[in-house]
Amino acid sequence: MEREYKHLVREKILGDGFIRATFSGGQKGTSLEWNKVIVRPVEVKGEIHLQFSYFDEKKDITKNHPLNEAAPVVDELLALPFRNIFVESKTGGVQVNISKKGKAVVSEIKPTKTSTSPNLAHDRQKNKLLSAENAEPFLKAVGIMTADGKIKADMQRKFKQINEFLRLVDETDSFSLLADSPIHVVDFGCGNAYLTFAIYYYLHDILKLDAHVTGVDVKAELIERHKEKVKSLDWNQLTFQVGHIANYEPKTIPNVVLALHACDTATDDALAKGIEWQSKLIVCAPCCQHELQAQMARVPMPASFASIFKDGIFFERMGDILTDTFRANILRIMGYRTDVTQFIPIEHTAKNLMIRAVKASSTNKARWLEEYRNLKSFWQVTPYLEKILKEDYKLLL
Ligand SMILES: C[S@@+](CC[C@H](N)C(=O)[O-])C[C@H]1O[C@@H](n2cnc3c(N)ncnc32)[C@H](O)[C@@H]1O
């Protein structure tokens, strides 16, 4: 059986129509140098190569081998004790899972609609993302491009913002690291859904991933419009749903949670969902925040802060900074490698931060917890995110 599945995987990877293979997880009682290895075809100087990307917690290494020299590298990979192997190919994929007793469970997968042509771009569009050339259907659908193929003058800024958003999300490297296939993204508070359509097009049509994206918003009228647009485009893995974030119950647990400028505590509702689902990637761009400010206003402030709090705008900004610090801190305590970065240039909006959190297997939780508790006790507040987390998670704080 072992020889059979290895032979099958080897044939698929080295054969025509190969799209991508993911090797992940270690078999019981074994140790592996890499958490995951991804293999995909790339074109280098006009010649097809196989690209091997080796990932562990801290780094990734990528090596390209001409296709006709790649067989021994595939064999080396197959000799490692990975627990899961997932191969996508135009001719149909194969999934192998090794049970705790070491038995290989092999499933052959029919070719899917998305398994049509592998993306051979060597740099995975990292510097390119969406352009007038590669994203015409998307740009026309959302009204950024004119019928004759030009970016509209009044949409230049939106176009830039979309690409900046994609760049920041892509920079986390989560899409190549996502163990699960397909990818399920939920975009909470999707509003006019430029970014929802953009992430769908990017994942599905540019990166050629089996991506499912759902936009959620309380505004039924907007959602109805987006549904009509999706129907006319026949983008059948993009869906929209009316509803409140806090009440959202997905059919499939999303491995990517987005919440971009969702209002006030809606950001916390989105973060709580992502944490409780243990989503692999959580990205939010916080918006207006009032909840913590109301708590701060009730507590006598330290005298040394008096000059800050004389001016309302400073008080407000301090509330924003504290709210986002608490959010980032909670994500770190919950095992997410988290950073806070600038999203939109400050001249466009003061709400220009993005919090990016990638699930990691180990973070320095004790340190984050100490910082979190100290900050809470200094300001005598309880962040809204802590209040709404389910009990099991609240107990970790
Ligand atoms: C400022 S818009 C942002 C739209 C989009 N995410 C973007 O960045 O362009 C915020 C959206 O969040 C929605 N929203 C706010 N609170 C929500 C909640 N609790 N549940 C669902 N949608 C919510 C609003 O209806 C609005 O459409």
Side-chain angles (χ1 to χ4, degrees), residues 232-249:
S232 69
L233 292 164
D234 201 20
W235 289 2
N236 54 16
Q237 296 193 163
L238 173 60
T239 50
F240 286 92
Q241 205 168 309
V242 183
H244 278 266
I245 299 167
N247 303 332
Y248 178 69
E249 297 291 344

Side-chain angles (χ1 to χ4, degrees), residues 31 42 97 124 131 154 174 196 232 262 293 296 300 310 314 369 388 392:
S31 71
V42 292
N97 302 100
R124 276 193 48 230
S131 66
D154 60 347
S174 307
T196 328
S232 69
Q293 281 171 37
M296 287 160 68
K310 236 183 234 110
F314 283 160
L369 192 56
I388 59 168
D392 287 2

Side-chain angles (χ1 to χ4, degrees), residues 139-153:
L139 294 168
K140 284 190 174 160
V142 297
I144 288 179
M145 185 182 263
T146 57
D148 59 350
K150 297 205 175 62
I151 305 288
K152 293 179 186 168

Side-chain angles (χ1 to χ4, degrees), residues 189-192 195 216-219 222 243-245 260-263 266:
C190 62
N192 56 28
L195 301 177
V216 176
D217 204 289
V218 281
K219 292 184 183 147
L222 275 183
H244 278 266
I245 299 167
L260 303 154
H261 295 132
C263 317

Side-chain angles (χ1 to χ4, degrees), residues 119 134 137 199-209 235:
N119 176 13
N134 71 3
I199 192 86
Y200 177 78
Y201 190 83
Y202 181 61
L203 294 175
H204 193 269
D205 290 77
I206 305 270
L207 297 187
K208 306 281 183 213
L209 297 173
W235 289 2

Side-chain angles (χ1 to χ4, degrees), residues 113-163:
K113 211 177 152 213
T114 50
S115 309
T116 45
S117 49
N119 176 13
L120 299 179
H122 180 38
D123 61 3
R124 276 193 48 230
Q125 311 286 343
K126 257 205 168 120
N127 304 316
K128 209 165 166 215
L129 300 171
L130 302 188
S131 66
E133 291 76 42
N134 71 3
E136 195 179 315
F138 156 72
L139 294 168
K140 284 190 174 160
V142 297
I144 288 179
M145 185 182 263
T146 57
D148 59 350
K150 297 205 175 62
I151 305 288
K152 293 179 186 168
D154 60 347
M155 283 291 177
Q156 294 282 354
R157 191 192 285 178
K158 185 51 100 187
F159 182 44
K160 253 196 200 148
Q161 185 200 339
I162 289 170
N163 262 344

